Amino acid sequence: MNEEQGTVSMSFLVKSDGTVADSKVEKSSGFKNLDKAAIKALSACKFKPGTKDGAPAETWTKVDYAWKLD
């Protein structure tokens, strides 16, 4: 809508049930709306949790969320 594009680098905490407990922008796309949309989209995702001693455990991980216009 605003002709904005860029990549948001984020880190996030995956809980033992696979949901996202926390997230933070490590490097902004340069546009607040894209950064906010990436955080919102990531919070709706479910992941395979990490493990510790063979059991599911909370784990921090990173992702780059790229917004491109086609």
Side-chain angles (χ1 to χ4, degrees):
M1 184 163 91
N2 294 327
E3 303 279 327
E4 297 172 344
Q5 56 183 351
T7 301
V8 184
S9 296
M10 303 173 59
S11 59
F12 59 101
L13 179 62
V14 178
K15 296 187 339 182
S16 59
D17 66 358
T19 59
V20 176
D22 192 15
S23 62
K24 55 187 170 186
V25 173
E26 297 288 333
K27 184 178 177 196
S28 173
S29 65
F31 299 99
K32 286 185 180 184
N33 288 336
L34 296 183
D35 296 348
K36 286 181 183 180
I39 290 170
K40 184 177 179 180
L42 190 63
S43 68
C45 294
K46 190 160 183 172
F47 297 90
K48 181 178 178 182
T51 59
K52 184 175 182 181
D53 298 325
E58 288 188 344
T59 308
W60 279 96
T61 190
K62 295 184 178 190
V63 69
D64 289 336
Y65 214 101
W67 299 97
K68 292 185 180 183
L69 297 173
D70 288 333

